Amino acid sequence: MKIPVNMRRAALVSVVIAGLVSSAQAIAGGKLLATPGVSQVEGAGGGGIVPWAQLAGYATENSWSASGFCSRADITDYQLDVCGLQANFFDRVEVSYARQTFEVPALKTDISQDILSAKIRLYGDIVYSRWPQVSLGVQHKKLLDSDVAFALGAEEKSGTDFYLAASKLHLAALLGRNVFWNVSVRNTRANQLGLLGFGRRDHTLSTADTFQLEASVALFVSPNWALGYEYRQKPDNLGLGEQAWQDAFIAWFPNKRVNVTAAYLDLGSIAGAAEQTGWYLSLMGNL
């Protein structure tokens, strides 16, 4: 079986980061395994499609951390490859960069997008505080290939999302197993995460920024394995029947250096093509 280029990149990223970890002098060891979550397709720490309130990596209040990841989503008519880097400074501020490449075989073209993100922890800790951890995030997105977006009626090739996320991990909450949940509210005008541009040129339909709900839940069947579900609303600015995204995932955390996530995706209609389902795989390394 031919290994996708994106997966080979992911393996290389993880090997390099694992090597750095082994020689680092300040690896954060204070957080529980898996509590930072995994890598999100826009670069933030969280789930696969939803950013969470916790920050990427295992940094504590006295240390910093860095992470690298690559992911692939392969659905009915499209493919999405993402690679990125994340940094967590003193468990207070997260910054990240991601490059998305959206492959459209029917048009024999790729659509690329750069995303610069930041997240600040406003309150709490997902484990130790009584109330959920709350964080405020911002994601600035810029299309590098905007022809398809403009042909479909998008107004802009760049835009900025803001979101507020709340997360909590309940220890031994269900038959002795840990239970996690996250709820996020996003302010956005992005079409399909921004891959189809932002807003709509035809203002007969409203394209003002809208608030969209995002949510995740996970059950840790062991300290190293988690099963979960995610849901993400999205605006339908272009009138193409854009629908909410959903996934059911399994994540493996063999140690604090590496994690692997696989998921079944149901992304609904994309650019008028219905029933976009398939698989997702992500590999992440932590410093």
Side-chain angles (χ1 to χ4, degrees):
M1 181 180 67
K2 183 179 180 180
I3 300 174
V5 171
N6 198 57
M7 292 297 100
R8 296 199 295 269
R9 291 175 183 169
L12 179 59
V13 168
S14 297
V15 168
V16 170
I17 289 178
L20 290 172
V21 169
S22 66
S23 61
Q25 299 299 312
I27 297 175
K31 287 190 175 182
L32 297 178
L33 179 67
T35 50
V38 294
S39 56
Q40 193 254 341
V41 292
E42 290 153 304
I49 62 174
V50 176
W52 297 346
Q54 59 265 51
L55 308 188
Y58 289 90
T60 67
E61 294 180 356
N62 301 310
S63 64
W64 62 273
S65 66
S67 309
F69 72 93
C70 280
S71 306
R72 163 162 280 200
D74 193 321
I75 55 176
T76 308
D77 294 303
Y78 309 101
Q79 293 177 348
L80 175 64
D81 292 328
V82 188
C83 284
L85 298 171
Q86 306 162 327
N88 179 342
F89 298 98
F90 310 110
D91 199 26
R92 178 60 62 179
V93 176
E94 171 192 300
V95 294
S96 64
Y97 163 78
R99 164 67 62 86
Q100 295 179 332
T101 302
F102 188 57
E103 301 176 21
V104 188
L107 298 179
K108 298 181 180 180
T109 189
D110 294 344
I111 301 172
S112 296
Q113 178 172 233
D114 283 344
I115 303 175
L116 293 173
S117 304
K119 186 194 305 182
I120 182 170
R121 179 170 60 89
L122 301 178
Y123 168 83
D125 180 275
I126 67 165
V127 177
Y128 301 112
S129 60
R130 178 179 179 183
W131 302 106
Q133 179 172 325
V134 177
S135 296
L136 178 66
V138 57
Q139 296 177 332
H140 180 71
K141 307 174 181 182
K142 184 176 181 180
L143 274 176
L144 305 182
D145 312 282
S146 56
D147 291 348
V148 174
F150 288 157
L152 291 173
E155 183 177 23
E156 302 286 348
K157 68 176 183 180
S158 64
T160 303
D161 291 0
F162 298 89
Y163 64 89
L164 187 68
S167 299
K168 183 64 177 172
L169 180 67
H170 302 274
L171 301 179
L174 181 64
L175 300 177
R177 310 300 184 187
N178 298 341
V179 175
F180 167 84
W181 61 265
N182 176 86
V183 175
S184 302
V185 178
R186 179 185 296 263
N187 181 260
T188 183
R189 64 199 301 262
N191 309 319
Q192 295 293 355
L193 308 188
L195 291 164
L196 299 183
F198 302 82
R200 178 186 174 114
R201 282 197 309 272
D202 179 1
H203 294 291
T204 58
L205 295 178
S206 173
T207 57
D209 292 6
T210 59
F211 289 95
Q212 305 291 324
L213 177 67
E214 305 171 1
S216 305
V217 63
L219 172 68
F220 283 84
V221 295
S222 77
N224 303 91
W225 291 91
L227 303 175
Y229 168 79
E230 296 185 289
Y231 174 85
R232 176 169 177 168
Q233 291 181 335
K234 305 190 322 301
D236 187 23
N237 297 320
L238 299 177
L240 297 174
E242 188 163 340
Q243 297 171 312
W245 283 11
Q246 303 178 72
D247 74 57
F249 68 86
I250 180 170
W252 178 43
F253 303 86
N255 51 55
K256 290 185 177 181
R257 299 181 181 183
V258 176
N259 61 67
V260 182
T261 305
Y264 170 77
L265 302 173
D266 182 352
L267 307 186
S269 176
I270 297 179
E275 299 182 358
Q276 297 301 308
T277 61
W279 58 266
Y280 168 87
L281 184 63
S282 181
L283 180 60
M284 183 175 187
N286 298 299
L287 168 61

